[in-house]
Amino acid sequence: MNKVANKIGLIILILLTISFSIFSFVSYKETETSLMNASSESKEVSALAAKLFVESYFDSRIKAVENFGKFLKENPEFMDNREELRKLIERVSQTTSLTNIFVGFESDGNLYRTDYEGDNKVSFKHYTIEKTKYDARTRDWYKVALAKGGIAFTDPYIAKTGNKLTISIVYPIVVNGKTLGAIASNIFIDGFSKDIDQMKDSASSVITIIDYTKKNIAYHPNSKYIISDDPEAKHISSSFISNFEKNGDKSFVYNLADDVKIASCKKYDMANWLICSANSFKDYEPALNRVIADQVMFSIIFIVVIVGVLLFVTSRFLRPIGVISNGLTLFFDFLNHKISKVQTIELKSNDEFGKIGQLINENIKQIEQNVADENVFITEANSLVSH
């Protein structure tokens, strides 16, 4: 560190390290912001895709229920001729997307039900108050149909048959102001869960369906959250609802169990659902870690190369200082009579160092001449004294 070139190199090394550290930090933050912006757009697209899928999944079933209901309203004789109605709903089960059909009668509370079992086979069941203690008029789906007055969804519920999360599409049969009954078809939520679960745009991405009316989760890959009073489930549903009411379908950030997540929700008005896509910020850590690792590696390479080149260049350019230093040392040895002859400084450059060397050489020659003259004078004086 006694050399000027090394000191300059050290200063440059420190400055470059600080500069590249600042550059890496700024670049990391910009990359992080870019990833977050891309994630926000991805969440909005993912939520929209899930909404479109759900709409598509339900649309054919909604139309099938509505068309069947309208047919019964236009042909009310089927509600009186129940044997013909039975044949009709069996055919509808075989030829439409409805895997099951319910027809409840206002007059006696009876229920006709068909279930499509595959291979063109349909099972039929007849429920009565007398035999099965079943009264369709007391059931929620029937009440919802009459209350809504048109095609509608029930709230999600756990069906007694199969113990599955279910939602019913309902439609009232009212002719000239007289209620004849209502029809319904059940849709099991797990029927589309596999397709929804595959809509992942990152490792922890999850599609969640929120029942906007009941303020709870109608669907989630983690079954413990579905129609549950679990604190985390309530936190998820309240976060999604409050952020949707505040920001609409724009993406937002929320916390869950010390994990920061980003999400976006779309409204499915028919069922009054929020269909949301969310994932953890941790999904982006590998990409960010790669960015910072690459920046550190390239920064180190650049610093080593730049400092090495600068040390080489400065050492080469400052080499005249060593020549001048050696020349002055020899000159002082000459003055102190350690050597008998002094050497001039040999510099071929025309820069400042060359001019300094030339100036020193001129003075060396002058002083050498003066010393020589002085020696001659002393010699002559001694000679005179001896005589």
Side-chain angles (χ1 to χ4, degrees), residues 82 107-111 126-137:
R82 298 192 179 182
S107 59
D108 54 15
N110 283 6
L111 177 80
H126 180 197
Y127 297 92
T128 66
I129 297 175
E130 295 78 17
K131 293 182 179 180
T132 60
K133 300 185 183 303
Y134 186 98
D135 186 348
R137 296 166 297 187

Side-chain angles (χ1 to χ4, degrees), residues 347-360:
L347 286 177
K348 297 180 180 180
S349 63
N350 296 320
D351 56 13
E352 291 86 348
F353 293 119
K355 293 178 180 180
I356 293 173
Q358 183 179 357
L359 181 62
I360 293 174

Side-chain angles (χ1 to χ4, degrees), residues 7-281:
K7 293 179 179 179
I8 293 175
L10 177 61
I11 294 172
I12 293 173
L13 174 64
I14 294 172
L15 293 176
L16 285 175
T17 301
I18 294 173
S19 299
F20 276 108
S21 297
I22 295 173
F23 168 77
S24 297
F25 176 78
V26 172
S27 179
Y28 177 86
K29 287 298 180 182
E30 288 180 350
T31 303
E32 184 180 43
T33 301
S34 298
L35 277 174
M36 293 307 102
N37 291 336
S39 174
S40 296
E41 295 176 0
S42 175
K43 288 297 96 182
E44 293 171 14
V45 171
S46 178
L48 178 59
K51 176 193 172 185
L52 293 175
F53 171 79
V54 171
E55 285 180 340
S56 175
Y57 185 87
F58 280 98
D59 188 55
S60 61
R61 294 161 176 79
I62 291 171
K63 288 181 178 178
V65 171
E66 189 173 28
N67 290 337
F68 183 50
K70 288 180 178 179
F71 175 83
L72 291 179
K73 288 174 69 174
E74 294 170 358
N75 302 274
E77 62 272 14
F78 280 99
M79 297 298 289
D80 295 325
N81 190 340
R82 298 192 179 182
E83 182 59 29
E84 289 298 318
L85 178 62
R86 171 180 175 168
K87 296 178 182 178
L88 177 62
I89 62 175
E90 286 177 345
R91 287 198 301 272
V92 172
S93 292
Q94 290 174 326
T95 57
T96 68
S97 59
L98 303 178
T99 57
N100 53 66
I101 299 175
F102 300 81
V103 179
F105 299 93
E106 179 68 19
S107 59
D108 54 15
N110 283 6
L111 177 80
Y112 278 6
R113 171 175 178 167
T114 60
D115 289 282
Y116 184 70
E117 298 180 349
D119 296 327
N120 210 32
K121 294 181 181 179
V122 175
S123 65
F124 175 82
K125 295 178 182 178
H126 180 197
Y127 297 92
T128 66
I129 297 175
E130 295 78 17
K131 293 182 179 180
T132 60
K133 300 185 183 303
Y134 186 98
D135 186 348
R137 296 166 297 187
T138 65
R139 300 293 169 158
D140 288 340
W141 66 268
Y142 191 94
K143 294 177 181 179
V144 169
L146 297 184
K148 297 293 184 180
I151 194 74
F153 280 131
T154 64
D155 295 329
Y157 63 95
I158 303 297
K160 294 181 179 179
T161 304
N163 197 34
K164 294 182 178 181
L165 182 64
T166 308
I167 188 169
S168 298
I169 305 173
V170 298
Y171 190 86
I173 309 301
V174 180
V175 179
N176 297 324
K178 182 180 178 181
T179 300
L180 302 182
I183 64 173
S185 181
N186 287 347
I187 296 179
F188 299 117
I189 303 299
D190 63 0
F192 59 80
S193 62
K194 291 182 179 178
D195 295 312
I196 282 202
D197 289 344
Q198 291 177 356
M199 295 182 181
K200 299 173 72 70
D201 55 0
S202 66
S204 66
S205 182
V206 169
I207 301 295
T208 304
I209 297 177
I210 306 295
D211 183 349
Y212 203 80
T213 303
K214 293 293 184 66
K215 312 296 183 185
N216 58 22
I217 294 178
Y219 173 75
H220 191 280
N222 189 340
S223 59
K224 80 170 187 176
Y225 290 159
I226 298 175
I227 311 180
S228 168
D229 291 327
D230 181 90
E232 286 189 357
K234 290 298 183 182
H235 176 69
I236 293 172
S237 58
S238 63
S239 295
F240 286 177
I241 291 173
S242 61
N243 278 285
F244 179 79
E245 291 175 346
K246 180 180 178 181
N247 303 310
D249 56 8
K250 299 298 182 182
S251 61
F252 57 89
V253 175
Y254 72 102
N255 294 308
L256 179 64
D258 298 325
D259 188 13
V260 181
K261 295 179 176 289
I262 184 168
S264 177
C265 296
K266 305 291 182 181
K267 184 79 175 292
Y268 178 36
D269 292 318
M270 186 67 191
N272 202 27
W273 284 351
L274 284 184
I275 301 175
C276 307
S277 176
N279 67 268
S280 171
F281 274 112

Side-chain angles (χ1 to χ4, degrees), residues 316-384:
R316 186 175 181 85
F317 286 150
L318 295 179
R319 188 178 298 169
I321 294 179
V323 176
I324 293 172
S325 176
N326 291 333
L328 289 175
T329 300
L330 292 174
F331 174 63
F332 291 136
D333 287 343
F334 170 75
L335 291 179
N336 292 317
H337 305 290
K338 292 182 179 180
I339 59 177
S340 59
K341 186 171 179 60
V342 69
Q343 297 179 0
T344 57
I345 297 173
E346 298 297 331
L347 286 177
K348 297 180 180 180
S349 63
N350 296 320
D351 56 13
E352 291 86 348
F353 293 119
K355 293 178 180 180
I356 293 173
Q358 183 179 357
L359 181 62
I360 293 174
N361 285 337
E362 291 175 356
N363 282 274
I364 287 175
K365 290 178 181 179
Q366 182 64 48
I367 294 174
E368 185 181 24
Q369 182 62 46
N370 293 338
V371 170
D373 293 342
E374 183 179 349
N375 289 337
V376 171
F377 175 78
I378 294 174
T379 302
E380 292 176 353
N382 290 335
S383 177
L384 290 173

